[in-house]
Amino acid sequence: MSKKKVCIILPCYRVKHKIYTVYQRLIKTNIDCLIFVDDGCPQNSVKYLKLKTKKDKKVQFMFLKKNLGVGGATLRGFMSAYDQGFDILIKFDADNQHNVNDLMRIVKKLKQKNVNFCKGYRNLNLKSSLKRGMPIIRTIGANVLTLLSRITSKNSNLRDVTNGLFGMKSSVLKKINLKDLKKDYFFEQDIIFRVCQKKIKIFQINSEVIYDNENSNLNTLGVIIPFLIYHVQNFFYKN
């Protein structure tokens, strides 16, 4: 069996203070390619990284002319990796919240023949959330959105649909409708919905996010109504 080539896609927006640390952690792995996608970042995060690092054939930089949202930036990276012939595509946030060991566990899982989609999840009970320093409002929101995703996706096994770490076989991209996929912060939930709709089994691993003086670009209260509307739309969506 041929070796599975792995590409990590990192959408980047306002991560200048974290991006080099993430790069240092990932460059030490045996990943085949890293694609840093600058999503119209006002801090020029990827340009900063490019100037700070030595040229490496396994590191690529993409610069979007305008902000497309985390989903739009991720998809641009995914399609570039797909066009280059990579077998496994993984989204990894550039804000230093994900554990590299969890990433490698997802890589190992996706190298298995029967695994096409794998995502991380946090334990969203109150005790675990307080231990990791996750804001209460985000814990409540993640639990509600996970419940809604279980209903719209008809998959009662889903856990923590707001976790940003996930990966897939590149062939999955051609099976789901990318045109209708939401490009904002609803992206992770929407792609899970599309994957479930195609009856693709979702494998999940525990991946505890690292909260370290985080300044999130996500307005938790501001997305409640839009996300509810999106879930209602998905509930009645017919492919």
Side-chain angles (χ1 to χ4, degrees), residues 18 28 32 62 74 114 130 170 205 229:
K18 298 285 185 69
K28 297 175 183 177
D32 299 292
M62 291 182 66
T74 301
N114 66 327
L130 290 174
S170 59
I205 67 158
I229 293 173

Side-chain angles (χ1 to χ4, degrees), residues 58-77:
K58 79 173 187 177
V59 181
Q60 300 179 20
F61 305 102
M62 291 182 66
F63 299 90
L64 306 184
K65 293 182 178 180
K66 63 178 182 178
N67 178 267
L68 299 181
V70 63
T74 301
L75 282 177
R76 284 290 183 90

Side-chain angles (χ1 to χ4, degrees), residues 193-205:
F193 169 75
R194 310 286 169 174
V195 168
C196 288
Q197 196 177 46
K198 292 299 180 180
K199 309 299 182 184
I200 298 171
K201 184 175 180 178
I202 293 180
F203 291 80
Q204 302 175 97
I205 67 158

Side-chain angles (χ1 to χ4, degrees), residues 114-126:
N114 66 327
V115 180
N116 291 300
F117 193 96
C118 185
K119 61 177 286 297
Y121 72 86
R122 297 160 294 185
N123 289 313
L124 293 176
N125 58 64
L126 184 59

Side-chain angles (χ1 to χ4, degrees), residues 64-215:
L64 306 184
K65 293 182 178 180
K66 63 178 182 178
N67 178 267
L68 299 181
V70 63
T74 301
L75 282 177
R76 284 290 183 90
F78 273 15
M79 293 312 299
S80 176
Y82 178 89
D83 290 340
Q84 294 177 62
F86 287 97
D87 304 300
I88 294 173
L89 317 176
I90 298 178
K91 174 183 174 285
F92 190 91
D93 291 337
D95 56 6
N96 203 33
Q97 288 195 40
H98 297 314
N99 190 309
V100 174
N101 289 333
D102 295 336
L103 166 67
M104 300 312 295
R105 288 166 61 205
I106 287 183
V107 169
K108 183 178 180 180
K109 197 74 177 175
L110 285 168
K111 286 185 175 180
Q112 297 177 21
K113 185 177 180 180
N114 66 327
V115 180
N116 291 300
F117 193 96
C118 185
K119 61 177 286 297
Y121 72 86
R122 297 160 294 185
N123 289 313
L124 293 176
N125 58 64
L126 184 59
K127 182 178 179 180
S128 296
S129 297
L130 290 174
K131 185 177 180 179
R132 77 171 69 92
M134 185 176 179
I136 296 297
I137 186 65
R138 294 189 67 175
T139 301
I140 295 172
N143 275 295
V144 170
L145 292 172
T146 297
L147 176 60
L148 289 173
S149 286
R150 288 173 177 172
I151 295 171
T152 57
S153 300
K154 298 180 176 61
N155 185 341
S156 60
N157 295 317
L158 289 176
R159 304 184 68 173
D160 184 18
V161 296
T162 61
N163 192 299
L165 177 61
F166 71 89
M168 67 180 77
K169 295 274 177 55
S170 59
S171 57
V172 173
L173 282 180
K174 293 301 180 182
K175 295 179 181 179
I176 59 180
N177 189 338
L178 300 179
K179 182 180 178 180
D180 293 339
L181 199 60
K182 294 293 186 295
K183 308 302 191 295
D184 55 14
Y185 284 108
F186 192 69
F187 171 66
E188 285 91 354
Q189 297 165 66
D190 208 18
I191 201 166
I192 287 170
F193 169 75
R194 310 286 169 174
V195 168
C196 288
Q197 196 177 46
K198 292 299 180 180
K199 309 299 182 184
I200 298 171
K201 184 175 180 178
I202 293 180
F203 291 80
Q204 302 175 97
I205 67 158
N206 180 247
S207 174
E208 293 299 328
V209 170
I210 304 166
Y211 287 91
D212 182 20
N213 297 318
E214 177 204 5
N215 291 312

